[in-house]
Amino acid sequence: MTVQEGTRIITALESTWATIQKHHGDVPGVVIVTGSGHRGGRSKRLTLGHHAADRWLDAAATGRRPELFVSGEAIARGGEVVVETMLHEAVHAVAAVRQIRDTSCAGRWHNRKFAALATELGLEPPTRAAKVVGFSEALLTAATVARYAASIRRLDAAALARIEAPEKAKPDPEQDEDNPGPRGGRGRAGKRVSVACSCEPPRQMRATPAFLEGGKLLCGECAEEFLPLEPAEPVQEQDA
């Protein structure tokens, strides 16, 4: 990638974020970075974007700014995917500004507050929560595509250099790395996994994947479902 191509991509991303801010006043300024969203190693998961609050110290050293990461793999999928990814992360940014807890289980479970904010920012959340990620898969509406049409065209034109996901990489939050199924030789019923509820602090326990698939396991205190506990990281995975 030449310097000009890298600059063009970041400039297009920053312009898109500025447009999102124009439409939604609570969206804060961010430091935008890009790179590969593929973790490598045993994990085949692909991160399209993430938001990390207060990650960067600003130039004047008077405060901190959040980070917005947009992966090269998202850029390779085109402007609409990039806008959808950025709006998803903008929801998390607004939640942080308003001090709304929109996720739990180390950021994996996206709750109804996330769904409400996603609707406010022009995304359409699913009508029912999915396992592990909740209401994460909020999609662009036709009206939102029209609203950001100029940004989408600009992103498509800027993405001369891109990262393509490895053939086996999947943006699949439900993939079980420790229990890959019959092809992995262990199946889903054996090894126990850690699960947690939405209490503060979360209550934790261990259960087999087969037991969890048999029906919801609810906490008697917060009345929320126990969900697989992932290592803490600033991936909202689009992202999820």
Side-chain angles (χ1 to χ4, degrees):
M1 181 188 300
T2 68
V3 173
Q4 290 80 9
E5 287 170 346
T7 300
R8 196 176 330 183
I9 290 171
I10 292 296
T11 299
L13 293 173
E14 289 178 339
S15 174
T16 301
W17 191 258
T19 301
I20 293 172
Q21 287 183 290
K22 183 176 72 172
H23 290 299
H24 305 285
D26 280 352
V27 174
V30 294
V31 175
I32 297 179
V33 297
T34 189
S36 176
H38 179 58
R39 298 181 189 179
R42 291 178 58 198
S43 173
K44 301 301 181 183
R45 291 178 183 157
L46 175 64
T47 298
L48 297 182
H50 75 232
H51 163 266
D54 300 330
R55 173 158 288 183
W56 290 76
L57 186 67
D58 69 21
T62 57
R64 305 192 72 87
R65 299 181 67 184
E67 174 181 283
L68 171 69
F69 170 79
V70 180
S71 73
E73 292 87 352
I75 293 168
R77 296 184 183 192
E80 286 193 18
V81 171
V82 174
V83 169
E84 186 173 273
T85 299
M86 295 181 79
L87 284 170
H88 179 110
E89 305 311 329
V91 172
H92 294 307
V94 170
V97 168
R98 297 181 186 175
Q99 298 183 328
I100 295 172
R101 187 167 181 248
D102 64 335
T103 65
S104 58
C105 291
R108 301 288 285 167
W109 178 261
H110 292 57
N111 60 31
R112 291 188 181 277
K113 293 177 181 178
F114 171 86
L117 288 174
T119 301
E120 180 182 329
L121 268 66
L123 297 175
E124 184 176 354
T127 56
R128 297 182 62 183
K131 287 185 178 180
V132 181
V133 296
F135 296 93
S136 174
E137 194 175 354
L139 306 178
L140 288 175
T141 65
T144 303
V145 171
R147 170 179 286 180
Y148 293 100
S151 295
I152 290 169
R153 290 194 297 270
R154 190 178 298 113
L155 288 163
D156 285 335
L160 300 179
R162 62 191 71 191
I163 297 175
E164 294 185 354
E167 188 173 332
K168 294 183 179 180
K170 303 176 183 178
D172 179 9
E174 295 188 39
Q175 182 177 349
D176 188 341
E177 297 172 32
D178 291 325
N179 298 281
R183 294 185 182 183
R186 285 179 283 177
R188 293 186 54 81
K191 187 171 181 179
R192 294 176 179 270
V193 296
S194 296
V195 295
C197 68
S198 296
C199 288
E200 288 288 357
R203 303 170 73 196
Q204 298 183 26
M205 60 182 294
R206 294 180 67 79
T208 64
F211 179 82
L212 294 174
E213 290 176 353
K216 290 184 178 181
L217 180 62
L218 300 180
C219 172
E221 294 294 327
C222 66
E224 296 287 341
E225 184 179 0
F226 278 91
L227 296 167
L229 184 63
E230 296 286 335
E233 61 177 301
V235 176
Q236 305 302 323
E237 22 164 158
Q238 170 75 359
D239 20 53

